[in-house]
Amino acid sequence: MNIKPLITGIIFFLLAHMITFFQLNGQFMWKWFRENEWALALAGIPISFLYIWGTKYTVQGFDGMMWPTRFVGFGVGMIIYALFISYFFNEGISLKTFVSLTLAIALVSIQVLWK
C-alpha cells in the first residue's frame, strides 16, 4: 500500500462527493439551483474528473487493486452524505442510519488498515 496516492485519491473522492451533494440537493436549498438544471448538469464534467482522479490515485495507493477503491469511494460518499444531510437539512441520524454509517466507516477502515 502506498499512502501518498491513497490519501490523494481519498481527497479527490471527498471533494467530488461534497460538490455532488450540492449539485444534486442544492435544488432543495436555493432557487438558482432549481432554475438552472443545465448549468448543474454541465458541472458534472469537472466533477467527473474528481471521481476519475480519485479512482486513479486510490488504485495506485492499493497497488493496482480495484475492489478496495470501490469500497473507499462508496464509504466516503456515505459519510459525506450523512454529515451534509444532518447539517444542511437538520435530518437527524436514526438508529438505522447510524448502523449504516458505522458499516461504511468499517468498510473504509478494513480496506485501508487491513494488511
Side-chain angles (χ1 to χ4, degrees):
M1 181 180 330
N2 298 315
I3 295 299
K4 185 176 178 182
L6 178 60
I7 290 172
T8 302
I10 290 172
I11 290 169
F12 279 126
F13 277 138
L14 283 167
L15 291 171
H17 283 293
M18 287 180 200
I19 297 168
T20 299
F21 177 86
F22 291 110
Q23 180 195 32
L24 300 178
N25 298 298
Q27 63 184 317
F28 305 113
M29 296 187 285
W30 303 293
K31 182 180 176 184
W32 186 91
F33 278 69
R34 282 189 297 276
E35 296 174 350
N36 293 282
E37 292 175 341
W38 281 99
L40 294 173
L42 290 174
I45 295 169
I47 293 169
S48 294
F49 280 105
L50 293 173
Y51 283 116
I52 290 167
W53 296 331
T55 301
K56 173 184 175 178
Y57 288 106
T58 307
V59 168
Q60 287 176 12
F62 284 116
D63 299 320
M65 294 176 56
M66 304 293 284
W67 272 111
T69 298
R70 180 65 190 118
F71 290 128
V72 168
F74 167 77
V76 167
M78 290 293 295
I79 293 163
I80 291 297
Y81 191 82
L83 293 173
F84 279 27
I85 283 291
S86 179
Y87 182 79
F88 290 105
F89 291 97
N90 293 321
E91 284 191 26
I93 296 178
S94 67
L95 179 59
K96 179 172 77 171
T97 303
F98 176 77
V99 170
S100 297
L101 286 173
T102 302
L103 291 171
I105 291 168
L107 246 173
V108 173
S109 298
I110 288 168
Q111 294 302 317
V112 172
L113 302 174
W114 190 329
K115 304 292 182 204

